[in-house]
Amino acid sequence: MLAGAMVLGMTACGGTDNAGQGSTSGGDGAAAESGTEAGDTKAADTQAAGGDKLVIWTLAKDLEQFADHYKEQNPNVTVETVVIEPANYVTKVQTALNGGQKEPDIIVGEPQMLEDFYDAGYFEDLNQAPYNAQDYADQIVDYVWDVGQDAEGIQRAISYQITPAGIYYRRDIAKEVFGTDDPEEVGKLFADYPTILETANTLKGAGYRIFASDAEINYFSGDSAWVIDGVLNVDQGRKDYQDLCVALYQDDLTAYANQWSTPWYQAMAGEVPILSADIQNYADDSVDVWNAESFAEATAGMDKTEVFAFGLPSWGVLTMRDNVQGTSGKWGVCAGPAYGFGGGTFIGISSQSERKELAWDFLKFCTLNEETANWWIEASQGDTVSLIPVLEAHADDANEIYGGQKLYKFWLEQAQGIDYSKVTRYDKFIGDEWGRATTAIKTGEKNKEDAWNEFYDQVESTYPEITVNR
Amino acid sequence: MRYGRRGPRPPFPYDMEEDMAKTGAMNSKKKDVNKIAYLFVLPFVIVFLVFSVYPVLRTFYLSFTNYKGYGDAVWAGLDNYIRVFKDKFFWKDLWNTVKIWGVNIILQLGLAFLLTVIFSDIKYKIRGLAVFRAVYYLPNLIAATSVAFLFKTLLDWKYGSFNQLLLMLGITQEQVNWLGSTSTAPYVISVIGAWMWFGNSFIILMAGVQGIPKDYFEAAAIDGAGRWTVFAKITMPLLRPIMLYVFVTSLIGGLQLFDLPFLMNGVAPGTAGEPAGTLQTVVMYLYKFGFETHQVGYASAIAYTLFFIILIVSVIQFKTLGKEED
């Protein structure tokens, strides 16, 4: 029975319920860490309490760098970092921890995974001694601190970074078309969805395109929760967002590039060919948008344009850094139509680890240590850390790629506006289905009514506990 | 006991039991031999219990719970089964699966039958049956991943060899989007499946034909029966049990179809079952709940509902095909 065998992977190891109440095991010589101020934690003080090996399972490669840095300061500790494909990460963690494995010691999660991980009891309670994480609450940006808490407010994970979203725009184009490149003023061009559409049309009239893809506003579309008190909530903002996507697509207001494809990256550096809707949705595959080598040749005869803006979280700074080439210095960042954030790696201790003291030391090293945060800003060349004292210390840092703009100050302001209570465990699925409905409407595959009904049906059948009012 | 040159030779064939009875050691020795035999089958029994019996029983238990893949499995009674019956996507996906399997089985059995008739015909006397058998069976040995990749490349809309060939021969005026169109994608999977598995059906049918006593054919030939009469009156009726076997095993495999449609169109996130959900099979639907939305209890109920559907259809097949045989 294939069907039975498929469920085997999920069930054979099941039944172990470690509700996160595990007391911290630790060696006799473990140093009590309670009450230590964030900045005072020195990695050199590490006591390899439960053994001198630490196993980390992560889906973000960042942690490899953190682990190397940790090893430099703790040469007697062996750190094994296993980077797992995001698509397989949750299943792998579930299988290991449901099977009662003592390793990994450190597990991570992205916001949409965390609620399930908390419920499963995978993460150690960090509010108890010797961790006393609550003592560090004021050191970390609020929304990040909240994401790391379970439904009962117990701290389970902490992130070293914040990921608020912003609109990255070309200052030179802004000046030419709108007469200003000031982030405050340009932000007004993105104040709400109808205004964005207006801005898009103005730019098209001037020979530019507002975005490379029509998905750039996605990070700002979550201004309300998808599910409120068990009821599906599709508010006007979601519908306006959908209308905007459809208009951007149908009125030729973008360059028809897909996010993360060759032309999308290329648009950061300047001119890109204006593709067609068919190329974007793969109905026409004469241009392989994922193949940088053949792309230039395949699009040689097409009209070209320059793209005005990208909507990305703060880690987009790194994406831009690697791709802006000749447009370096011509960029600015402003606020989008709503507060939003995307991703973020949250680090926690496995409740089944036998080396919790060491794991806690590593966790603090990555998230609550000023020296590490400063090192990470350098090492990552501009990632935005979550440690408030360090963010404040860098508030006046001018970023030359962005015309000297003070980005850390900007991201901190954006992060302070994020309301994490709007995030639910259903977001990924519902968001994907809403995106699918949007695609069906914009490509003409379905009319609005059919696409919405399909969306409602999908939500209803996948999560019967959600009430759907059509 | 060693039989030396000087000792008496035992009677041939040597009867160990008699020998043991004489010495009075038979009972205890026989028991020992039996125990050793159990040891030999033990590894299989353990693997079978752990990897087949336990998951099957546990899946059945979980289908009555709301287990999420972690935490406690809270008893939910028949809720999951009621949900399956009310779930329109389950039935839609079952219909998708039946459509793909239906076309597949017609092609697969048709081809296997045609080859069986050709190869078993006394007048043709085709040589090298073993070679043909091996060649026809080969697609069965290729991993589904490779098959999916191969056909994805061949059937590529713009540059695939298949479309180029059709254009060159003037059969079509423009490229056909085989895997992107709802009217062709499911049947492409059926054809690939038939190509993969017809060799297996052919071998089984051929073995069935070879199992029919030659006397019947000779008697028929003497009586002046034509080729069609021999086929309809002798080959077909005597092959019925084998056909039933091929049919039922194909049904069991076909309704659990997963790898081909998943690999052809569903690997990229959010593309499972495209175009327009026509390639979404029941097991892909099960996969969504088991591995993507972490509703293991519901996935288990889908697995068992599928099992019961296969069981019922198999019983109907046995009743109808088996009865005619009587």
Side-chain angles (χ1 to χ4, degrees):
Chain A
M1 278 182 68
L2 173 68
M6 286 196 66
V7 186
L8 159 72
M10 301 173 281
T11 63
C13 308
T16 321
D17 180 23
N18 295 284
Q21 73 274 49
S23 62
T24 52
S25 65
D28 298 326
E33 299 288 353
S34 58
T36 314
E37 285 301 315
D40 298 339
T41 315
K42 285 190 182 133
D45 293 343
T46 305
Q47 301 282 322
D52 56 359
K53 186 188 171 197
L54 195 65
V55 179
I56 300 165
W57 280 12
T58 175
L59 33 54
K61 281 191 174 167
D62 292 358
L63 284 216
E64 277 182 330
Q65 280 172 271
F66 277 101
D68 287 343
H69 190 53
Y70 184 76
K71 276 190 283 189
E72 279 167 22
Q73 304 195 5
N74 300 271
N76 56 336
V77 179
T78 315
V79 185
E80 185 185 319
T81 313
V82 183
V83 182
I84 299 164
E85 273 290 298
N88 303 327
Y89 184 77
V90 174
T91 308
K92 200 151 165 68
V93 169
Q94 279 185 340
T95 311
L97 296 193
N98 288 354
Q101 281 191 32
K102 307 295 180 202
E103 288 181 354
D105 304 295
I106 292 277
I107 48 176
V108 306
E110 292 189 348
Q112 76 278 4
M113 305 170 184
L114 290 173
E115 211 174 330
D116 283 338
F117 278 14
Y118 297 155
D119 287 356
Y122 293 158
F123 284 121
E124 178 76 347
D125 172 354
L126 299 180
N127 280 355
Q128 63 185 341
Y131 320 118
N132 300 312
Q134 64 274 27
D135 295 344
Y136 304 100
D138 57 349
Q139 304 286 321
I140 296 283
V141 171
D142 281 350
Y143 96 89
V144 168
W145 195 251
D146 292 348
V147 175
Q149 288 178 351
D150 66 14
E152 274 127 44
I154 295 169
Q155 204 65 37
R156 301 275 177 188
I158 305 171
S159 178
Y160 54 90
Q161 58 186 173
I162 55 171
T163 58
I167 302 274
Y168 297 66
Y169 65 92
R170 283 270 297 272
R171 286 175 183 270
D172 51 336
I173 298 175
K175 246 186 191 157
E176 179 195 327
V177 180
F178 303 105
T180 174
D181 68 345
D182 177 52
E184 287 279 326
E185 291 303 312
V186 177
K188 289 177 187 165
L189 300 170
F190 294 92
D192 51 45
Y193 301 127
T195 313
I196 294 174
L197 197 56
E198 223 171 274
T199 307
N201 278 307
T202 312
L203 282 159
K204 191 184 174 189
Y208 297 105
R209 291 290 185 275
I210 184 169
F211 301 127
S213 82
D214 53 17
E216 302 296 323
I217 295 298
N218 198 17
Y219 290 109
F220 310 95
S221 63
D223 207 22
S224 64
W226 270 120
V227 179
I228 299 172
D229 298 329
V231 181
L232 179 70
N233 172 43
V234 187
D235 73 354
Q236 194 53 43
R238 301 275 183 199
K239 292 171 185 167
D240 290 347
Y241 165 71
Q242 189 172 64
D243 289 342
L244 173 68
C245 290
V246 173
L248 286 174
Y249 183 90
Q250 291 183 346
D251 300 347
D252 289 340
L253 296 171
T254 71
Y256 291 115
N258 283 310
Q259 267 186 319
W260 320 112
S261 68
T262 302
W264 186 80
Y265 285 114
Q266 218 176 69
M268 294 176 181
E271 272 196 338
V272 277
I274 304 171
L275 305 178
S276 67
D278 279 350
I279 291 175
Q280 190 185 25
N281 64 38
Y282 306 113
D284 175 356
D285 58 3
S286 60
V287 177
D288 183 353
V289 296
W290 303 101
N291 186 339
E293 284 169 19
S294 67
F295 182 79
E297 197 185 324
T299 57
M302 292 182 178
D303 288 342
K304 302 248 187 320
T305 187
E306 289 194 60
V307 165
F308 178 56
F310 289 84
L312 285 172
S314 51
W315 45 256
V317 169
L318 313 182
T319 316
M320 301 289 281
R321 175 201 70 205
D322 296 336
N323 292 285
V324 290
Q325 297 175 24
T327 61
S328 181
K330 294 180 179 171
W331 291 89
V333 186
C334 67
Y339 290 108
F341 72 99
T345 304
F346 286 74
I347 309 174
I349 301 170
S350 163
S351 57
Q352 294 167 34
S353 165
E354 287 179 335
R355 298 181 284 247
K356 291 184 178 129
E357 293 285 346
L358 185 59
W360 172 237
D361 190 67
F362 179 77
L363 202 163
K364 273 195 306 179
F365 173 81
C366 296
T367 58
L368 298 166
N369 183 319
E370 285 189 25
E371 186 273 325
T372 311
N374 281 308
W375 160 82
W376 179 240
I377 286 174
E378 288 294 317
S380 66
Q381 296 181 301
D383 194 15
T384 318
V385 295
S386 59
L387 203 56
I388 293 173
V390 175
L391 272 181
E392 283 172 347
H394 286 265
D396 289 327
D397 286 6
N399 192 320
E400 291 314 316
I401 294 177
Y402 300 88
Q405 198 175 339
K406 293 169 183 170
L407 286 188
Y408 287 108
K409 191 165 169 251
F410 171 78
W411 293 128
L412 183 56
E413 284 164 12
Q414 294 301 307
Q416 281 161 347
I418 297 170
D419 178 359
Y420 183 66
S421 66
K422 288 168 189 159
V423 176
T424 74
R425 72 173 78 208
Y426 308 111
D427 289 4
K428 165 124 187 31
F429 177 82
I430 299 178
D432 285 353
E433 286 303 322
W434 189 244
R436 225 187 256 247
T438 307
T439 303
I441 297 166
K442 76 183 186 188
T443 56
E445 184 192 324
K446 286 187 180 129
N447 62 34
K448 210 179 233 182
E449 197 188 341
D450 289 348
W452 283 11
N453 280 331
E454 169 86 10
F455 164 75
Y456 291 135
D457 287 348
Q458 285 286 359
V459 173
E460 241 170 3
S461 81
T462 307
Y463 292 107
E465 68 269 29
I466 298 176
T467 308
V468 176
N469 299 319
R470 298 176 190 231
Chain B
M1 186 192 271
R2 189 165 171 266
Y3 298 106
R5 233 184 300 169
R6 271 172 283 171
R9 280 188 174 276
F12 190 80
Y14 170 58
D15 188 341
M16 188 178 75
E17 287 187 8
E18 195 186 327
D19 196 28
M20 283 172 150
K22 277 179 199 160
T23 57
M26 182 185 165
N27 285 339
S28 61
K29 288 262 181 178
K30 193 173 181 183
K31 273 180 190 161
D32 286 350
V33 169
N34 283 349
K35 274 182 193 159
I36 292 170
Y38 280 122
L39 277 180
F40 278 115
V41 294
L42 197 61
F44 168 76
V45 171
I46 291 172
V47 169
F48 180 68
L49 286 176
V50 172
F51 292 107
S52 291
V53 176
Y54 174 72
V56 164
L57 294 179
R58 183 158 171 85
T59 303
F60 189 60
Y61 162 69
L62 288 177
S63 70
F64 295 100
T65 70
N66 66 358
Y67 187 57
K68 292 181 190 166
Y70 55 79
D72 291 329
V74 179
W75 188 257
L78 286 171
D79 287 2
N80 286 328
Y81 287 95
I82 294 167
R83 186 177 157 195
V84 174
F85 279 94
K86 285 182 179 168
D87 187 342
K88 73 174 201 177
F89 290 102
F90 171 81
W91 297 106
K92 182 174 167 266
D93 295 343
L94 182 66
W95 176 236
N96 288 342
T97 317
V98 168
K99 262 198 307 194
I100 295 173
W101 173 75
V103 175
N104 166 65
I105 189 67
I106 291 168
L107 294 173
Q108 182 184 327
L109 271 190
L111 195 57
F113 235 109
L114 183 72
L115 290 169
T116 307
V117 170
I118 294 170
F119 277 95
S120 64
D121 197 300
I122 307 170
K123 286 178 190 160
Y124 293 147
K125 284 184 185 151
I126 294 175
R127 288 182 184 184
L129 175 63
V131 175
F132 282 106
R133 232 177 359 208
V135 169
Y136 292 149
Y137 194 75
L138 272 180
N140 224 333
L141 299 178
I142 307 173
T145 325
S146 312
V147 172
F149 185 76
L150 173 74
F151 278 93
K152 243 184 122 110
T153 312
L154 283 176
L155 296 173
D156 183 81
W157 184 44
K158 244 349 188 228
Y159 302 110
S161 317
F162 192 63
N163 269 337
Q164 300 291 336
L165 192 70
L166 291 182
L167 285 176
M168 219 164 67
L169 297 175
I171 296 171
T172 54
Q173 298 308 309
E174 55 181 28
Q175 288 100 330
V176 182
N177 194 356
W178 297 103
L179 289 166
S181 156
T182 52
S183 54
T184 52
Y187 308 113
V188 166
I189 302 290
S190 305
V191 173
I192 299 170
W195 174 76
M196 278 179 83
W197 301 308
F198 83 94
N200 189 44
S201 305
F202 167 63
I203 285 178
I204 295 168
L205 287 178
M206 209 48 213
V209 169
Q210 284 169 344
I212 300 172
K214 287 221 163 54
D215 310 2
Y216 296 159
F217 294 111
E218 284 166 8
I222 291 166
D223 289 348
R227 189 175 289 161
W228 171 247
T229 316
V230 170
F231 178 72
K233 301 282 180 191
I234 298 175
T235 316
M236 274 289 276
L238 292 174
L239 264 187
R240 193 163 281 140
I242 302 288
M243 274 174 56
L244 181 65
Y245 169 78
V246 172
F247 214 69
V248 170
T249 49
S250 159
L251 174 85
I252 294 170
L255 289 189
Q256 294 182 29
L257 185 68
F258 175 77
D259 45 12
L260 269 185
F262 186 77
L263 291 164
M264 296 290 275
N265 265 4
V267 179
T271 59
E274 293 297 324
T278 47
L279 291 193
Q280 173 102 340
T281 66
V282 177
V283 180
M284 281 166 76
Y285 195 57
L286 182 161
Y287 180 87
K288 167 182 158 182
F289 285 100
F291 293 93
E292 287 172 3
T293 64
H294 306 293
Q295 300 176 44
V296 178
Y298 188 54
S300 304
I302 293 175
Y304 264 90
T305 308
L306 183 62
F307 166 72
F308 286 121
I309 290 170
I310 292 172
L311 187 72
I312 291 166
V313 179
S314 301
V315 169
I316 292 170
Q317 282 182 345
F318 269 108
K319 291 272 181 210
T320 49
L321 280 169
K323 218 175 229 168
E324 282 175 40
E325 190 191 356
D326 299 335

